[in-house]
Amino acid sequence: MSRSISAITATVAALLLATACNSASNSGGSEGAGGGKGGGSVRGVTDDSIKVGGIVSMTTASGYSKKDTDLGAKARFDRANAEGGVHGRKIDYLGAEDDGQDPGKNLAAARKLVQRDKVFAISPMSSVTFSGADFLQKQRVPTFGWGTIPPFCGPSYLYGFGGCMVPMPGGTITQSWPEGLKKVMGGAEGKTVAILANDNDAGTFAIRTYQQSFAAAGYEVTYAKSTVPATSVPSDWSAYTKEILRSNGGKAPDAVVSVMQTPYNIGLFTAVKRTGFKGVLTDPTDYDPGLLAKSATKKALDGVHVLLTFQPFEQDSADMRRFKKDIAKAAGKKVPLNMHMMTGYMSADLFLAIAEKAGKDLDVESFQRAADGFSDTDTMVGDRRLPKGHKESFGCGALVQLKGSAYTVSSPFTCYEPIPFT
């Protein structure tokens, strides 16, 4: 997905969630969720197993798929089981339900996993149509995914593996993008940027966010507009390039920042390059080996610096080497890596870390107590802290640049101090 800090999906997801809440609110209580002092068996937990399921958009009308999220989760759970499980309990991973990126199916999948399959937790949840969020919160189901949509920001039972990555009122904006670009551009002093997004609510929100973010980092923002039609990719980009490339007092800015998805970036960056622009091109979307299969796509994105909120696959570390080994083992062969695998893997990893801290007497109450005040360091998404992660991201990121037929790290994975979101 888009992917990144993913401001593009934030407002859309919030609207979808709002339409789903009325149906979810009548779903009943939380019978069987906790156990503990007051009650019977703990949903999804036996003496030797913990039942977990996932919800993933494996099929969509556009053909876009996040199916490898399921593989990533399986890889991490497989390793946990090979190491003895969590306090002697193996993870009984049921695999992921396909919601087809449909709000109704997302809610139906959540209900099935909880009410019929009796899972203790949902990990991963990877869909922009998270209409089951209200139901899962009411049922007290620990749920883990990529916190790029509003449902992961605030509710006590929903966890973003990188924290809440949607700037919220009273919250903060992560500075990994503008700060990472300083390494590429030799600092921000005297540097100018132009920011472009789609003409919908999400695009307007993205412009508000990144205009503030880049200005706070010391750049001069010469252009910041959400004017590109969200309903279709323009065939003629000349009106946009003309404005952008004259925005710096009649000259081109030092960097062009796109907060759009791949088809738009291909068109925009191709048009900008044709003018002879020699500055920096950057987006938060185009980190996918599959994009390199087509020569036209590869040419359009060549030289672009892509923002990541996790360690790049090209960055050598013990955790990354283990991730690659786990994925290959779960897949039965070496496969091209993508961010969907990372989404599933790190969603599972955060669930396992909290479950381990909860101890042998696992129920929802002990799990939530373990989550409250949970922290660890030097993971592939940085230093994780809760409950901070319910309202803020963990503030870490990297930049990779496509060069020819491969990505290279242009700004290593680093954590930065956030700024207040106003």
Side-chain angles (χ1 to χ4, degrees), residues 10-52:
T11 304
V12 175
L15 294 173
L16 289 167
L17 176 60
T19 62
C21 282
N22 288 336
S23 60
S25 64
N26 296 319
S27 58
S30 52
E31 180 182 356
K37 290 182 180 180
S41 61
V42 180
R43 182 195 62 233
V45 179
T46 69
D47 289 342
D48 54 13
S49 70
I50 306 170
K51 190 179 292 186
V52 180

Side-chain angles (χ1 to χ4, degrees), residues 277-308:
F277 178 76
K278 300 299 182 183
V280 170
L281 301 174
T282 183
D283 69 57
T285 304
D286 301 313
Y287 184 54
D288 185 347
L291 297 173
L292 308 182
K294 296 182 179 180
S295 58
T297 300
K298 185 167 61 175
K299 182 179 179 181
L301 299 177
D302 189 63
V304 174
H305 297 267
V306 186
L307 172 69
L308 308 180

Side-chain angles (χ1 to χ4, degrees), residues 333-350:
K333 59 181 179 180
K334 188 175 181 179
V335 293
L337 302 173
N338 59 52
M339 65 179 59
H340 303 309
M341 297 172 186
M342 182 65 73
T343 297
Y345 191 92
M346 293 309 296
S347 295
D349 187 75
L350 182 55

Side-chain angles (χ1 to χ4, degrees), residues 43 47 50 101 111 127 142 145 148 181 197 203 209 223 237 239 258 271 292 307 343 372 379 415:
R43 182 195 62 233
D47 289 342
I50 306 170
Q101 203 165 292
R111 285 177 166 160
S127 175
T148 56
L181 277 177
T209 301
Y223 179 97
W237 287 88
S258 171
L292 308 182
L307 172 69
T343 297
D372 187 19
T379 75
C415 299

Side-chain angles (χ1 to χ4, degrees), residues 142-154:
T143 300
F144 295 79
W146 201 351
T148 56
I149 51 178
F152 283 108
C153 301

Side-chain angles (χ1 to χ4, degrees), residues 15 31 42 61 69 154 169 175 188 232 259 288 301 307 323 384-385:
L15 294 173
E31 180 182 356
V42 180
T69 309
Q175 289 295 89
S232 61
V259 196
D288 185 347
L301 299 177
L307 172 69
F323 166 79
R384 302 185 292 198
R385 286 193 297 163

Side-chain angles (χ1 to χ4, degrees), residues 154-169:
S156 54
Y157 294 94
L158 311 184
Y159 299 89
F161 67 77
C164 164
M165 309 190 91
V166 181
M168 307 294 285

